[in-house]
Amino acid sequence: MHTQLNRLAAAIGVAGLVALSACSEPQQSLKQNTPVPDKPVVSATSVAEQVPHYLERNVQQDIFYFVMPDRFHNANPDNDMGDPDKPISYGGLDKTSKWAFHGGDIQGLEAKLDYLQEMGITAIWMTPILRNKAIQPDGFAHHGYWVVDFTEIDPHFGSDDALHDLIDAAHKRNIKVFFDIITNHTADVIKYKECHDEQGNYLNKEKKGCAFKDKAQLASGDTYTPFVPEDEKNVKVPEWLNDPAIYNNQGDSIWRGESVITGDFAGLDDINTSLPEVQQNMIQVFEDLIDKFKPDGFRIDTVKHVDIEFWQVFGPAIVEHAQSVGIPQFHIFGEVYDGNPAKLSDFTTTGKLPSVLDFGFHFNVKDALFSGMDINRIPHLFDNDDYYRDADSSPLDLMTFLGNHDAGRVGHFIQKGFADLSPDLQLKRSLLAHSLMYFSRGIPVVYYGDEQGFTGDGGDVDAREDMDPSVVDVYNDNTLLGTNKTTADDNFDTQHPIYQHLAHLAQIRANTQALGTGEHYNRLIDNDKGIYAFARVDAKEKKEVLAIFNLGTQSQTVSIDVDASAYDHIDGAQVTLKNGKLNAQLAPLSYTLVKAQDQLSVSEIADIVMLDSYQDNGRVIVPFELSFISSNALEMVSVNVYDANKDQLLTMDPTSPYRLILTPAQAESITELKVVVDNYHGQKISKAFSL
């Protein structure tokens, strides 16, 4: 192993395994004409010990670890089969099957908190742990998304006491714990007389599934007759969930049109979330969960399959309740499986959810870094952050990720897209992609096992390997990144190069405020050379943190206009400062990260002009153009747009292009705008415009 690490270190260089250095080095000062050697930023204390207290910590300062308890670590073999006294939640253990339960549990997570803390993790997000229907015709509920009881822990994963112990132990380490919750559906219990026999089996043995019936069919009397087989009557908790009348009962979703909302998600019982009583009952269910366990937030499954009016009620109510019981920074983020910022932002603006998983980041980084497509799609994604900006949501709250339990792993994408690359270069792509995620805007989410170089064979169960030694053949034949191990080995290796690099990146985020709370500014895009540079600037600190990435396969010389007279070197390749230009020589798949010692010089605003509005992506776009008396290489202003008649903030846009983005309904209702531009140095200019 040591021989391979030495070889990898030689191949990867300063932007990679330099992070393995254990010595403590100060940040180096970069002044005019002075090259600075590469020095890692390391600390003797863990990141969780450096960041604010978990009850006070803004989620933008967190680093998440997304984990499937069943596949992580088995600390209590006694619960591997669940509880025989609850037959619907019993059984399904088969450690040789990628589909079945493997025995991991909540106690296993607690046992590995040292491992997570040393990697710099400050928040744990678990797949659902509420009690499931353990076995369905299409598989096993190792993932936790087939809930029948919303009030207690699934016996495969542990108990109330085990969960309390995990949360208490994590909080003592200043680590947050997030629950994964579902409001769209329950387990598959309801059947249809037109589609199933009395035992719940399909009438058509050769064609599984129940055809979707749309509103027109329902109106004509073409409906399903729902029923529950005798052996599964009244299995759901709370009791109100056993009434078929609160479900849509329209058959299986066809993933388009109205079926996205009202169709059964892969046969699961689709709850009618448009009903006011369902909305209030669901709010009560999860308020009770908050009262009982005091988690730090929720990730919500299948958000786009729920009526958006449900989220307008649910999100604010849950956050308000959590705050009322002493969790002031309670955070919610939803899963909207769509890469379009216009679609994703529906749920943070109209839908009133605080945040969503940034599938746009996932898809664009996957295309650029793992599939060899143009890199300009990444800065273009950040230009579209304006879609997320309104009075109570920000792109800084988006959850960024590279892979997950549905889409697949980083290692798989790299091996598929660059099969001919050497193992060293495949590893280097993983390190670079994680660096981009940690430095760019948003809250990084590491998918369990990626830090050990897991690769998998695709999405879904093919990306759900065991961290404990596995006996699944289709897992154990995979080639991992950065190690000679396979998944047949124990894979809690704190010396793995990806684990070490993530620990290094976490220290950098902890020591560099702007990487968490700073706005994201595109600085240089050269698609032909594969160069992408961006700045992060915290509005209070006003100092530029500049990241320059060479995402290409050739060495490149990069020169960027800057304003500061001196810079501190944080990480990566050597740079020099000369005549107002920062110069870097970047090896393939490498980066540099520096921070200005001076605050940005003042951008003195001359005027604001509103340009012609236009429609795009189902929105009304209102662009603004600023002129300056004096400016710097990075304009630092905030364009605040209000509904003048209501004096209501509509957007706060700190980055060019400056835009107000409205739904058509909003645009129809607003006649006058007030635009206030703030340069963060005391100058404010205000102008009125008719919309």
Side-chain angles (χ1 to χ4, degrees):
M1 183 65 181
H2 291 296
T3 300
Q4 185 184 25
L5 286 179
N6 291 335
R7 179 169 53 84
L8 291 172
I12 292 168
V14 296
L17 291 181
V18 67
L20 293 175
S21 171
C23 62
S24 178
E25 297 283 355
Q27 294 186 11
Q28 300 297 303
S29 176
L30 169 60
K31 297 185 178 180
Q32 296 286 350
N33 302 319
T34 305
V36 176
D38 303 304
K39 301 289 182 180
V41 177
V42 295
S43 173
T45 58
S46 73
V47 168
E49 295 173 283
Q50 299 173 58
V51 295
H53 188 271
Y54 71 91
L55 284 175
E56 302 168 355
R57 186 165 71 243
N58 187 317
V59 71
Q60 295 168 5
Q61 297 172 281
D62 281 315
I63 297 169
F64 277 69
Y65 190 78
F66 172 35
V67 59
M68 185 170 284
D70 179 67
R71 303 299 172 91
F72 189 64
H73 178 53
N74 189 358
N76 182 15
D78 292 342
N79 62 25
D80 286 2
M81 287 286 285
D83 184 352
D85 294 331
K86 296 176 179 175
I88 198 170
S89 301
Y90 182 68
L93 181 73
D94 182 353
K95 295 184 180 182
T96 68
S97 167
K98 66 181 179 180
W99 299 96
F101 285 92
H102 288 185
D105 45 41
I106 294 167
Q107 290 160 300
L109 272 169
E110 183 180 353
K112 296 296 184 179
L113 286 176
D114 280 350
Y115 171 85
L116 298 179
Q117 185 172 356
E118 290 169 15
M119 196 171 75
I121 297 302
T122 65
I124 299 166
W125 151 31
M126 300 177 287
T127 48
I129 52 174
L130 297 177
R131 188 157 67 82
N132 273 227
K133 182 178 181 179
I135 304 170
Q136 293 188 172
D138 53 348
F140 304 86
H142 67 274
H143 44 67
Y145 290 102
W146 299 344
V147 179
V148 291
D149 188 333
F150 286 78
T151 67
E152 69 178 28
I153 305 307
D154 191 286
H156 289 87
F157 304 139
S159 62
D160 286 4
D161 288 343
L163 182 56
H164 280 297
D165 289 346
L166 168 64
I167 293 172
D168 289 346
H171 283 171
K172 286 178 182 177
R173 297 167 182 261
N174 206 22
I175 295 173
K176 298 178 182 178
V177 177
F178 278 65
F179 294 173
D180 200 328
I181 67 168
I182 306 108
T183 67
N184 175 66
H185 58 262
T186 69
D188 182 12
V189 173
I190 296 173
K191 308 299 179 183
Y192 308 127
K193 290 183 178 180
E194 294 79 6
C195 191
H196 303 94
D197 63 22
E198 290 183 357
Q199 288 73 43
N201 301 310
Y202 288 111
L203 294 175
N204 186 338
K205 306 297 184 184
E206 297 179 358
K207 184 179 179 182
K208 294 183 178 181
C210 300
F212 180 74
K213 296 182 184 294
D214 61 25
K215 291 178 181 177
Q217 289 173 285
L218 300 183
S220 70
D222 181 9
T223 63
Y224 283 116
T225 307
F227 73 98
V228 177
E230 283 297 323
D231 62 346
E232 292 189 344
K233 284 187 174 179
N234 301 313
V235 296
K236 297 181 184 178
V237 182
E239 174 61 31
W240 60 270
L241 286 165
N242 291 299
D243 181 2
I246 62 119
Y247 296 84
N248 284 305
N249 301 319
Q250 291 178 239
D252 294 336
S253 176
I254 55 175
W255 314 115
R256 62 181 183 275
E258 64 184 82
S259 81
V260 172
I261 303 295
T262 60
D264 291 346
F265 189 100
L268 300 166
D269 297 350
D270 192 73
I271 301 170
N272 186 349
T273 50
S274 69
L275 298 174
E277 62 267 32
V278 167
Q279 295 171 5
Q280 293 308 311
N281 284 339
M282 273 296 183
I283 288 170
Q284 187 63 58
V285 162
F286 291 107
E287 286 182 350
D288 291 346
L289 204 64
I290 291 169
D291 293 343
K292 188 174 184 179
F293 294 108
K294 298 294 190 299
D296 300 287
F298 290 155
R299 178 266 194 185
I300 309 176
D301 185 56
T302 52
V303 161
K304 75 174 182 179
H305 300 284
V306 173
D307 303 83
I308 202 163
E309 294 80 8
F310 177 91
W311 301 125
Q312 292 172 332
V313 176
F314 184 88
I318 291 296
V319 171
E320 181 180 356
H321 180 77
Q323 292 173 343
S324 75
V325 297
I327 315 174
Q329 295 292 334
F330 194 90
H331 184 59
I332 295 176
F333 57 100
E335 180 219 22
V336 181
Y337 208 121
D338 196 302
N340 184 349
K343 183 63 177 178
L344 288 166
S345 64
D346 275 345
F347 297 92
T348 64
T349 53
T350 302
K352 299 299 180 186
L353 290 177
S355 176
V356 291
L357 285 158
D358 191 357
F359 275 87
F361 181 89
H362 161 71
F363 285 125
N364 283 284
V365 172
K366 177 184 173 184
D367 287 347
L369 276 178
F370 309 146
S371 301
M373 298 184 188
D374 289 352
I375 64 120
N376 56 13
R377 65 192 62 238
I378 298 175
H380 180 66
L381 173 76
F382 295 129
D383 275 342
N384 280 321
D385 278 353
D386 293 343
Y387 281 95
Y388 300 99
R389 300 187 189 279
D390 67 1
D392 60 1
S393 60
S394 163
L396 299 182
D397 292 331
L398 294 171
M399 313 295 293
T400 53
F401 67 99
L402 299 172
N404 67 18
H405 61 322
D406 291 327
R409 293 190 175 278
V410 171
H412 173 71
F413 302 145
I414 293 172
Q415 289 184 342
K416 183 178 179 181
F418 294 95
D420 295 334
L421 283 186
S422 68
D424 297 348
L425 290 177
Q426 289 180 346
L427 171 61
K428 196 169 183 180
R429 281 194 178 271
S430 178
L431 297 174
L432 189 72
H434 281 96
S435 302
L436 180 66
M437 179 172 70
Y438 273 61
F439 296 162
S440 58
R441 69 97 181 101
I443 301 155
V445 180
V446 177
Y447 181 42
Y448 89 96
D450 280 357
E451 79 279 9
Q452 295 295 326
F454 283 9
T455 51
D457 295 307
D460 200 77
V461 292
D462 288 320
R464 301 175 187 174
E465 304 96 314
D466 303 288
M467 298 283 283
D468 285 343
S470 175
V471 289
V472 178
D473 291 341
V474 294
Y475 292 162
N476 294 342
D477 65 3
N478 293 330
T479 300
L480 309 189
L481 301 183
T483 179
N484 290 325
K485 287 185 175 183
T486 73
T487 53
D489 299 302
D490 176 285
N491 277 284
F492 292 97
D493 180 10
T494 59
Q495 297 306 307
H496 191 287
I498 302 178
Y499 178 99
Q500 286 282 309
H501 189 60
L502 296 183
H504 172 65
L505 297 177
Q507 288 288 350
I508 291 173
R509 274 185 70 95
N511 295 332
T512 313
Q513 174 77 15
L515 294 182
T517 60
E519 296 292 349
H520 185 113
Y521 299 81
N522 288 330
R523 292 284 270 116
L524 177 66
I525 305 155
D526 190 327
N527 190 64
D528 292 336
K529 294 182 177 180
I531 298 297
Y532 175 44
F534 58 88
R536 303 291 308 281
V537 183
D538 179 81
K540 294 180 180 179
E541 194 178 42
K542 303 184 185 70
K543 294 182 178 180
E544 179 181 28
V545 175
L546 180 60
I548 310 173
F549 279 81
N550 180 2
L551 305 177
T553 58
Q554 303 294 322
S555 294
Q556 300 292 347
T557 300
V558 184
S559 183
I560 296 181
D561 292 333
V562 293
D563 293 302
S565 61
Y567 281 79
D568 290 329
H569 177 265
I570 299 175
D571 195 36
Q574 291 187 354
V575 289
T576 58
L577 182 65
K578 184 176 182 180
N579 298 327
K581 291 185 180 294
L582 192 74
N583 305 295
Q585 182 69 37
L586 294 178
L589 303 176
S590 70
Y591 64 83
T592 188
L593 185 71
V594 298
K595 180 179 178 180
Q597 291 186 3
D598 312 324
Q599 287 191 345
L600 285 166
S601 55
V602 178
S603 293
E604 191 174 357
I605 311 154
D607 197 14
I608 316 161
V609 175
M610 186 176 81
L611 305 178
D612 291 339
S613 61
Y614 58 95
Q615 291 200 18
D616 188 37
N617 258 319
R619 298 290 205 285
V620 176
I621 315 293
V622 185
F624 298 92
E625 188 174 83
L626 305 184
S627 57
F628 295 90
I629 297 170
S630 62
S631 183
N632 47 39
L634 192 157
E635 296 171 3
M636 189 177 177
V637 297
S638 175
V639 176
N640 305 279
V641 185
Y642 298 81
D643 180 341
N645 294 323
K646 299 179 181 178
D647 198 28
Q648 180 182 35
L649 180 66
L650 299 172
T651 191
M652 188 282 288
D653 187 358
T655 62
S656 177
Y658 305 107
R659 300 178 294 181
L660 168 66
I661 299 183
L662 302 169
T663 65
Q666 284 178 303
E668 284 290 327
S669 67
I670 298 170
T671 58
E672 298 291 331
L673 298 175
K674 181 177 73 172
V675 181
V676 180
V677 183
D678 183 350
N679 75 345
Y680 298 101
H681 285 272
Q683 183 196 17
K684 291 186 180 181
I685 289 182
S686 178
K687 287 186 74 172
F689 299 97
S690 295
L691 186 61

